[in-house]
Amino acid sequence: MFEARGLKKSYGALAVVRGVSLSVAAGERHGIIGPNGAGKTTFFNLLSGEAAADAGEVCMDGINLGKSPPDARARAGLGRSFQHNSLFAGLTVAENLAIAIAQRKKLYKIFWRGFLSRTEVFAEALDRAHRLGLGAQAHTRAAHLSHGAMRQLEIGLTLALRPKVLLLDEPTSGMSPEETAAIKNLIRRLPEELALLVIEHDMDVIFDLASHITVLDYGEVLMRGAPAEVRASPAVRARYLGMG
Amino acid sequence: MLKTVTRAPDVRDPLAAALVAAAAMAWLFTGDFGKEVLSEVAVFAIFAMSLDLLVGCAGLVSLGHAAFFALGAYAVAAFGVFVNLPMWMAMPLAVAVTAVAAAAAGFFAVRLGGVFFIMMTLAIGQMVYAFFLNSRAFNADDGMAGIGRVDFSFLALDSGEPAVFSAFAVCAAVAVFLLLRMVARSPFGHTLAALRRNEPRLRSLGCPVLRCKLAAFTLAGALAGFAGALAAQHNGFISPDLAFWTVSGEVLVMVIVGGMGSLSGAALGAALVILLRHHLAGLTEFWVFYLGVLFVLMVLFAEGGVAGMLSRLPRKLHRRGGNV
Amino acid sequence: MVFLIQLLNGLQLAALLFLLSVGLSVVFGLMRFINLAHGTLFMFGAYLGVACAAAFDSFWAAFFLAPLLVAAGGAALYGILLRHIRRKSPMQQVLVTFGLIFIGFDVARMVWGRFPYSIAEPAVFAGGVQIFGQVYPAYRLFLIALGIAVMAALYLGLEKTRIGAMVRAGVDNRRMAAALGINVERVFFFVFCLGCGLAGLAGVAAAPVFPVFPGMDMPILILALIVVVVGGPGSLKGAMFGSLLVGLADTFGQVVFPEFAAATIYALMAAVLMVRPTGLFPAATVH
């Protein structure tokens, strides 16, 4: 249902992504791993439209997303979270979520009625805050949250879009073991039919969650397969896991 | 911004109420000159509030907002003098013309991020100024005189009277305030505020940010055009100076002095700057110098403006009271 | 032949625009900082040129002294005000320099009054030169040559000298440059003062051709900003091509559609931005 074909991106003389193809089926849990500088985040930026690809295409449900900007891709059902938290820092948790829900419902078109009168939006926002495990902090400003809670809200904002394809960029970076467990739980409870692409450095997390794994190296696919195959591959062990 | 999502919104705006009361007092207890100043304050309050939608709400700083003020004034003059339409018709037409112009200019401007947007708006302002300065149809730098006012004769009132026109201008300012407050409180307004806080994230959440920015730019331009149409009637005279960069700067000072993001603050800023200008005009011919100094100081030291200081005041008093 | 004369006029405007925009552009590339008071420095360059020319009774004294004085003024401005707002948001920085335009405008009025001044061109370039049967003022040719000379000097300075390499590294990647032990702050200060000096040079060089009056800064500031937007920020090449495009478009626009001269430039900028939103030769990322 979601497919990337031959994506390429260079910054000046530096080729960061050198022809990566990938397809994800509904319900698939697809992990992307690779050493630092392998081009993982740039690859995500090409998928979500934050960066323009030099070559290649991204298709969703058979429709070519072409050069469409990130907001059009989000409306088509492609949600992403960011490696570095990108929140509305001055707003509370519930307000952050309400803004995201309002975008899903395309409420930005409404300029004549009060936002606060849309009680269903705020009820859903509070409900989502609870399900993220942030119920107690629903009225805390995002800037005052702990790092782990920010990461949860980061994912929660994207989930509020009800995406068909979800791109998570290092959801557990910089987290304590307990916080990592909370994120793993959150990912396990994602809707069945959702296609998940996740970049992750924590190998335990990725081998635990993913049904498929793609290994990127120097902007190219080094190998692809089930977690057990990737774990057993001598090439991956030599290049990446450092256990060759 | 929404304070909390559970508590009912705070609908009281003491500053706005105080401003309306002050306008009523000024109208009741000043002579014709005071009422002329009151009209001017009301016109600039509309102009400043329209800019606050861009600067304070959406975080889009425009250094060329006077372009639309001037366009509104020239359009109302064109419809009134050349086509001979009554002002009741010329005014909405002028606002429509300005809205179209703002949409056309905004189409290019909103595509540019950050500092480039600011530079583009400055360029737009200067181009409109240069256009009117060279335009023979509008008498170039001589400008045009003889612009009429709206006709209130069906109420047996003469809009040439300062008392009538200033009351009309104040009512118009209140109407614009209510309109912009409605917009700011709507989902669209909250989306603009989110855009100011984190545009890339809002875009990744599916918000068509360019369309939203364009809508805000167009609405702000149209309302600036409305202010311009009122100014042309108030002065009975227009000239390219309406589009001069100092006018854009002055209205931005009003917004910053009053406090970005507060509509009543923008209106207060308009009143303060205009009263200060009238006061200083008798003392010095270098008004622009003091305006510049005020501008720099406000940007550097008073981010919330006067409205921000006032909103912190009750809390401070409360705290002091609690300590005693 | 009218075409040739207008071409030379366009090149002369382009030369002035280059002197002005190169400082704006490279400073922006280095520090993401747009100094809207750059036009004000141009105006003060012209006024100080007038003052020096009167004091020493020599155009050349003004030509060399005025840029130095403006650079010194820029250094003072940087030390007193701009250094302290570096940590503020870009919006506040731009607004502060916008406020400086107001102050500069009235300071010029206070000191020199509202009536225009001018400097007599130097005796060497006082006459005209025969070009294809037309007489063209020699001083205007000198302006074109000045633009080319400064461009060549900047090119060599950027490519061949140590500080040029530091500037290029800073534009390319500021954090990396700092990590490599380059004192980015000092490089910025140097480039800022150089940019101010060039703005002053443009001012004094323009004084025999354009009237010197309060408010002469705004039209040229707008053109310089458009040069930066069209050419792409941060690069010498962008400033050069942008100046040529804008200088020629403005000159020919005035001739072909006098009432819509401003619109030709605007149309040019719009067209370039539609095709290349970051300008023709961006050296620095825009956002």
Side-chain angles (χ1 to χ4, degrees):
Chain A
M1 69 168 298
F2 183 67
E3 198 178 359
R5 262 174 262 150
L7 287 180
K8 285 184 187 166
K9 179 75 185 176
S10 309
Y11 290 104
L14 187 68
V16 186
V17 176
R18 305 193 288 180
V20 176
S21 299
L22 182 119
S23 84
V24 192
E28 189 172 323
R29 301 287 186 262
H30 199 122
I32 295 178
I33 62 173
N36 281 327
K40 301 182 299 281
T41 294
T42 305
F43 178 57
F44 262 27
N45 286 342
L46 298 181
L47 294 181
S48 66
E50 250 91 17
D54 299 333
E57 52 186 25
V58 179
C59 293
M60 187 131 161
D61 296 328
I63 299 162
N64 189 350
L65 294 175
K67 286 192 171 15
S68 55
D71 51 297
R73 296 184 190 212
R75 289 194 296 278
L78 180 65
R80 79 163 290 181
S81 77
F82 291 84
Q83 184 181 3
H84 302 288
N85 292 329
S86 181
L87 306 168
F88 304 104
L91 302 186
T92 67
V93 169
E95 286 163 351
N96 265 276
L97 290 164
I99 288 290
I101 295 163
Q103 305 312 313
R104 184 189 78 222
K105 292 175 177 274
K106 298 190 169 50
L107 295 184
Y108 46 76
K109 291 178 181 167
I110 295 174
F111 59 86
W112 56 90
R113 240 175 316 159
F115 189 27
L116 294 173
S117 68
R118 303 297 296 237
T119 47
E120 82 282 4
V121 171
F122 296 102
E124 184 187 333
L126 286 176
D127 180 50
R128 283 185 177 273
H130 280 289
R131 280 190 286 151
L132 287 168
L134 298 173
Q137 290 128 299
H139 301 300
T140 307
R141 285 187 185 205
H144 299 156
L145 294 174
S146 69
H147 175 71
M150 283 190 192
R151 288 309 280 157
Q152 272 162 298
L153 182 58
E154 171 71 40
I155 299 171
L157 281 185
T158 312
L159 285 178
L161 299 182
R162 296 201 185 128
K164 290 187 267 182
V165 179
L166 177 62
L167 312 179
L168 296 182
D169 195 348
E170 297 200 24
T172 69
S173 71
M175 289 186 130
S176 69
E178 300 81 50
E179 289 168 335
T180 302
I183 292 282
K184 268 166 80 172
N185 251 321
L186 189 69
I187 295 177
R188 278 212 193 82
R189 285 182 289 132
L190 288 175
E192 284 270 317
E193 68 289 354
L194 180 121
L196 174 72
L197 262 169
V198 54
I199 295 176
E200 187 51 72
H201 270 303
D202 188 327
M203 288 304 119
D204 294 333
V205 173
I206 206 108
F207 285 120
D208 199 14
L209 289 174
S211 54
H212 299 71
I213 288 179
T214 293
V215 186
L216 286 186
D217 192 19
Y218 290 120
E220 286 174 316
V221 177
L222 183 66
M223 89 160 283
R224 175 173 293 154
E229 290 172 69
V230 171
R231 211 197 288 256
S233 156
V236 174
R237 292 172 78 94
R239 179 67 193 104
Y240 180 50
L241 298 176
M243 299 182 267
Chain B
M1 246 358 262
L2 38 164
K3 288 284 179 261
T4 69
V5 289
T6 44
R7 225 190 316 142
D10 189 358
V11 286
R12 288 166 304 155
D13 189 337
L15 179 55
L19 283 172
V20 172
M25 299 292 276
W27 189 78
L28 284 172
F29 297 114
T30 62
D32 279 358
F33 179 73
K35 291 192 180 75
E36 293 290 350
V37 175
L38 180 63
S39 298
E40 194 183 349
V41 167
V43 166
F44 273 85
I46 295 174
F47 190 17
M49 286 189 289
S50 76
L51 182 61
D52 188 53
L53 175 72
L54 281 184
V55 177
C57 191
L60 297 167
V61 176
S62 171
L63 298 184
H65 207 49
F68 305 114
F69 184 68
L71 273 171
Y74 270 85
V76 91
F79 287 120
V81 176
F82 298 151
V83 191
N84 222 357
L85 288 177
M87 276 300 147
W88 286 117
M89 283 167 76
M91 257 200 296
L93 282 173
V95 172
V97 166
T98 319
V100 171
F107 181 78
F108 295 108
V110 299
R111 258 148 242 276
L112 302 173
V115 182
F116 282 74
F117 175 83
I118 300 178
M119 283 161 44
M120 186 69 149
T121 55
L122 188 58
I124 291 169
Q126 283 300 293
M127 301 215 175
V128 170
Y129 173 70
F131 174 74
F132 287 127
L133 195 64
N134 294 319
S135 140
R136 265 177 240 135
F138 292 106
N139 288 345
D141 58 339
D142 290 336
M144 284 166 64
I147 298 148
R149 288 183 175 178
V150 281
D151 188 8
F152 283 106
S153 55
F154 64 95
L155 293 173
L157 291 172
D158 175 10
S159 58
E161 288 287 320
V164 175
F165 192 79
S166 61
F168 170 61
V170 169
C171 289
V174 171
V176 168
F177 170 77
L178 292 174
L179 172 77
L180 283 173
R181 195 178 65 162
M182 177 188 82
V183 170
R185 288 179 175 177
S186 72
F188 172 69
H190 283 281
T191 301
L192 289 183
L195 195 142
R196 181 187 75 227
R197 292 160 189 272
N198 191 344
E199 179 178 336
R201 185 59 202 241
L202 190 68
R203 195 180 51 183
S204 85
L205 289 173
C207 172
V209 285
L210 290 186
R211 262 184 280 159
C212 287
K213 284 201 265 188
L214 183 57
F217 197 82
T218 308
L219 177 60
L223 289 175
F226 179 54
L230 287 174
Q233 296 175 53
H234 178 227
N235 302 326
F237 169 77
I238 53 169
S239 78
D241 286 347
L242 290 172
F244 202 49
W245 58 274
T246 53
V247 179
S248 296
E250 205 169 292
V251 70
L252 195 57
V253 174
M254 291 171 183
V255 171
I256 293 172
V257 166
M260 291 191 216
S262 158
L263 286 171
S264 39
L268 173 67
L272 290 178
V273 170
I274 284 176
L275 292 177
L276 190 66
R277 185 177 58 190
H278 278 290
H279 190 66
L280 280 180
L283 302 176
T284 170
E285 68 172 302
F286 301 111
W287 152 247
V288 174
F289 176 81
Y290 295 100
L291 190 70
V293 172
L294 181 68
F295 196 119
V296 171
L297 290 179
M298 289 308 288
V299 172
L300 287 180
F301 300 113
E303 270 170 61
V306 178
M309 293 178 206
L310 287 178
S311 74
R312 284 191 293 272
L313 198 61
R315 229 176 302 157
K316 263 189 197 154
L317 291 176
H318 182 77
R319 206 173 300 149
R320 198 166 296 165
N323 288 343
V324 170
Chain C
M1 283 313 101
V2 174
F3 173 79
L4 189 75
I5 297 297
Q6 293 303 340
L7 181 70
L8 287 173
N9 283 342
L11 287 177
Q12 171 229 307
L13 180 59
L16 283 179
L17 283 177
F18 176 76
L19 293 182
L20 216 72
S21 59
V22 74
L24 265 181
S25 180
V26 175
V27 167
F28 180 79
L30 266 178
M31 290 326 207
R32 303 292 179 275
F33 170 78
I34 278 284
N35 176 19
L36 290 181
H38 211 66
T40 306
L41 295 169
F42 167 84
M43 178 173 75
F44 278 104
Y47 270 120
L48 290 171
V50 170
C52 290
F56 297 100
D57 197 23
S58 151
F59 171 82
W60 295 108
F63 185 79
F64 290 106
L65 268 179
L68 287 178
L69 290 173
V70 173
L77 184 68
Y78 183 80
I80 295 167
L81 188 60
L82 300 181
R83 194 156 56 93
H84 302 289
I85 57 170
R86 285 283 308 289
R87 249 173 278 122
K88 301 244 176 191
S89 74
M91 192 172 98
Q92 280 170 313
Q93 297 172 354
V94 174
L95 289 179
V96 165
T97 61
F98 188 61
L100 292 178
I101 302 181
F102 284 75
I103 297 174
F105 178 79
D106 255 8
V107 166
R109 280 207 306 150
M110 284 177 206
V111 179
W112 287 287
R114 59 172 73 232
F115 296 106
Y117 286 85
S118 142
I119 308 181
E121 60 235 320
V124 197
F125 301 116
V129 175
Q130 286 275 338
I131 302 171
F132 296 104
Q134 298 269 335
V135 180
Y136 195 75
Y139 183 75
R140 289 176 176 240
L141 292 178
F142 164 70
L143 282 184
I144 299 174
L146 177 68
I148 295 172
V150 169
M151 190 161 65
L154 286 178
Y155 177 78
L156 289 176
L158 264 179
E159 296 295 324
K160 305 284 180 214
T161 66
R162 222 174 91 77
I163 189 139
M166 287 184 188
V167 171
R168 277 183 294 137
V171 170
D172 218 36
N173 189 333
R174 198 168 129 203
R175 224 173 291 158
M176 190 70 91
L180 289 174
I182 295 174
N183 187 338
V184 180
E185 191 68 21
R186 202 181 299 160
V187 171
F188 178 54
F189 180 66
F190 172 75
V191 171
F192 184 82
C193 293
L194 182 66
C196 294
L198 286 175
L201 180 67
V204 66
V209 183
F210 294 109
V212 181
F213 66 98
M216 71 182 288
D217 49 338
M218 280 316 264
I220 196 114
L221 170 72
I222 300 303
L223 289 181
L225 290 179
I226 292 174
V227 167
V228 175
V229 173
V230 166
S235 75
L236 203 57
K237 215 164 139 192
M240 186 178 86
F241 280 99
S243 304
L244 275 176
L245 264 177
V246 173
L248 292 175
D250 189 60
T251 307
F252 282 102
Q254 308 260 16
V255 180
V256 185
F257 335 92
E259 281 210 23
F260 295 95
T264 27
I265 295 288
Y266 191 53
L268 170 81
M269 174 164 69
V272 169
L273 288 178
M274 290 306 274
V275 186
R276 307 199 44 151
T278 52
L280 294 172
F281 303 100
T285 28
V286 174
H287 297 290

